[in-house]
Amino acid sequence: MGFKIAVAGATGNVGREMLNILSERGFPADEVVALASSRSVGTEVSYGDKTLKVHNLETYDFSDTDICLMSAGGAVSLKYSPKIGAQGCVVIDNSSAWRYDAEVPLIVPEVNPDAIDGFTKKNIIANPNCSTAQLVVALKPLHDRATIKRVVVSTYQSVSGAGKEGMDELFNQTRAVFVADPIESKKFTKRIAFNVIPHIDVFMEDGYTKEEWKVLAETKKMLDPKIKVTCTAVRVPVFIGHSESVNIEFEKEITADEARDILREAPGCQVIDKQENGGYITPYESAGEDATYISRIREDATVENGLNIWVVSDNLRKGAALNAIQIAELLVNRGLIKSKKQAA
């Protein structure tokens, strides 16, 4: 007996990707329902070779639904996720609404799968920020081997992290440059075409942005609260794929060769690290792929037990949709939920 799955925010970039990945991976679903706001009702979205009509999230009855993949934004999740959870449907939320709640597990299946057991407190599981997800996949096996003391991250984040509007703005501005049209900035604070912007999300009192704070807080929650983390988050004119330059300081000695061997064996990781022209990954190659790619692995001689690595992943997949579905698979594979049809 399969599961009934709802995808909330099904008309957005991540929601559409969730539907694609559910089909690609053959998730054991007897029924998949597409949900969005009232203005999107009746819109059609693809699920494998089927077409689904979008239903209204605001009036939908979740009493016979097993899992809701929530990708409708933080405000919507804060309003609806507790109500959905109370109807016995497990919410896997892609927004930042629940990540820092002590009663909500924040999960990357390759990193902290055992933490999922706490989901029953609210029937909500949080998906991490896209840039954190790929970072901790790469850090976890290295931390297990040599214990990380400090991480310095600079992110190079694609415009798809800002949704369809971000992608449209990059496209429109790029075209405007070539035809000498006026350039309009609506989604981003400055022009993004042929430029980089050292600002993602709102500024906080200490001068960091919320995006940078998310990387710090989520890494500590999932990996180890003792790790010191600092981050600079930058938006770059790339459509899909987040990149990160990561400097790591360890308590124990670890060589670049050891790190390569460890990461080659680590779940979710793929090492592409030849010290030659093109012997590394870029976001262009990561688009549409599930792996977290690691390149440019080298020792940092300026600190004791230091390494530098370059980490790239498709932010719409591992950073969002894929991770959410891996969480759903974890629930099913560990027998933590049963389909309501089967229970009846």
Side-chain angles (χ1 to χ4, degrees):
M1 187 76 72
F3 294 85
K4 183 174 181 180
I5 310 294
V7 176
T11 57
N13 281 350
V14 174
R16 290 176 189 272
E17 199 68 29
M18 285 173 168
L19 290 166
N20 289 339
I21 294 171
L22 280 169
S23 174
E24 279 174 22
R25 292 173 75 90
F27 188 87
D30 279 353
E31 186 177 354
V32 175
V33 181
L35 303 173
S37 66
S38 54
R39 68 178 179 274
S40 295
V41 169
T43 302
E44 293 187 342
V45 291
S46 297
Y47 167 61
D49 56 4
K50 298 176 185 171
T51 300
L52 306 179
K53 280 199 183 299
V54 172
H55 298 267
N56 191 348
L57 168 63
E58 295 147 34
T59 57
Y60 188 75
D61 179 2
F62 286 87
S63 58
D64 67 344
T65 305
D66 300 299
I67 297 171
C68 175
L69 301 173
M70 175 69 72
S71 187
V76 173
S77 182
L78 282 170
K79 182 177 180 180
Y80 289 101
S81 291
K83 299 175 185 176
I84 297 168
Q87 292 184 63
C89 176
V90 182
V91 178
I92 301 172
D93 181 45
N94 193 55
S95 78
S96 60
W98 302 98
R99 292 175 189 157
Y100 317 110
D101 187 316
E103 295 187 330
V104 173
L106 178 65
I107 300 293
V108 171
E110 297 94 334
V111 174
N112 62 336
D114 293 341
I116 201 169
D117 293 342
F119 82 93
T120 52
K121 292 173 185 170
K122 289 188 174 175
N123 258 4
I124 301 171
I125 302 167
N127 217 23
N129 185 36
C130 46
S131 46
T132 312
Q134 66 188 66
L135 176 66
V136 294
V137 167
L139 292 182
K140 166 67 172 170
L142 300 176
H143 182 57
D144 287 347
R145 161 65 180 78
T147 311
I148 295 170
K149 289 169 60 177
R150 180 171 182 257
V151 180
V152 182
V153 189
S154 296
T155 73
Y156 306 80
Q157 294 179 226
S158 66
V159 294
S160 56
K164 183 178 182 298
E165 298 96 333
M167 298 177 81
D168 288 346
E169 187 151 308
L170 174 57
F171 179 84
N172 291 332
Q173 287 186 0
T174 303
R175 183 173 57 188
V177 168
F178 284 107
V179 298
D181 277 352
I183 291 175
E184 291 185 62
S185 295
K186 295 177 183 174
K187 184 66 180 175
F188 301 116
T189 55
K190 295 206 174 196
R191 161 179 156 169
I192 186 62
F194 304 97
N195 198 19
V196 298
I197 305 171
H199 172 199
I200 301 176
D201 213 328
V202 297
F203 278 97
M204 302 176 75
E205 286 184 6
D206 59 3
Y208 283 80
T209 65
K210 194 170 182 187
E211 182 79 5
E212 293 159 350
W213 176 82
K214 288 174 191 173
V215 172
L216 178 152
E218 294 170 21
T219 300
K220 286 174 172 285
K221 181 171 178 176
M222 286 187 287
L223 208 55
D224 189 334
K226 296 191 290 292
I227 295 175
K228 295 177 180 177
V229 184
T230 187
C231 177
T232 301
V234 181
R235 189 74 72 190
V236 296
V238 169
F239 283 109
I240 294 172
H242 287 356
S243 307
E244 296 168 343
S245 170
V246 188
N247 178 263
I248 317 163
E249 189 177 349
F250 297 89
E251 286 185 12
K252 301 168 191 166
E253 186 178 353
I254 182 170
T255 67
D257 284 340
E258 284 176 299
R260 270 185 214 97
D261 290 342
I262 290 164
L263 291 166
R264 282 193 182 105
E265 299 299 318
C269 293
Q270 189 158 336
V271 175
I272 297 180
D273 189 24
K274 297 178 181 176
Q275 296 172 7
E276 60 187 44
N277 293 346
Y280 41 79
I281 199 76
T282 67
Y284 176 76
E285 289 104 27
S286 78
E289 300 294 329
D290 290 347
T292 294
Y293 293 93
I294 301 118
S295 306
R296 302 296 319 283
I297 302 166
R298 60 208 189 278
E299 289 156 35
D300 177 5
T302 67
V303 294
E304 194 173 2
N305 306 328
L307 286 178
N308 288 300
I309 63 174
W310 173 251
V311 182
V312 180
S313 193
D314 180 330
N315 54 296
L316 298 179
R317 290 181 76 90
K318 186 55 191 170
L322 172 65
N323 197 73
I325 288 151
Q326 287 177 305
I327 292 170
E329 291 170 346
L330 192 61
L331 286 170
V332 172
N333 294 339
R334 292 196 170 195
L336 296 173
I337 62 167
K338 296 276 191 294
S339 76
K340 290 178 179 176
K341 284 181 186 173
Q342 186 178 352

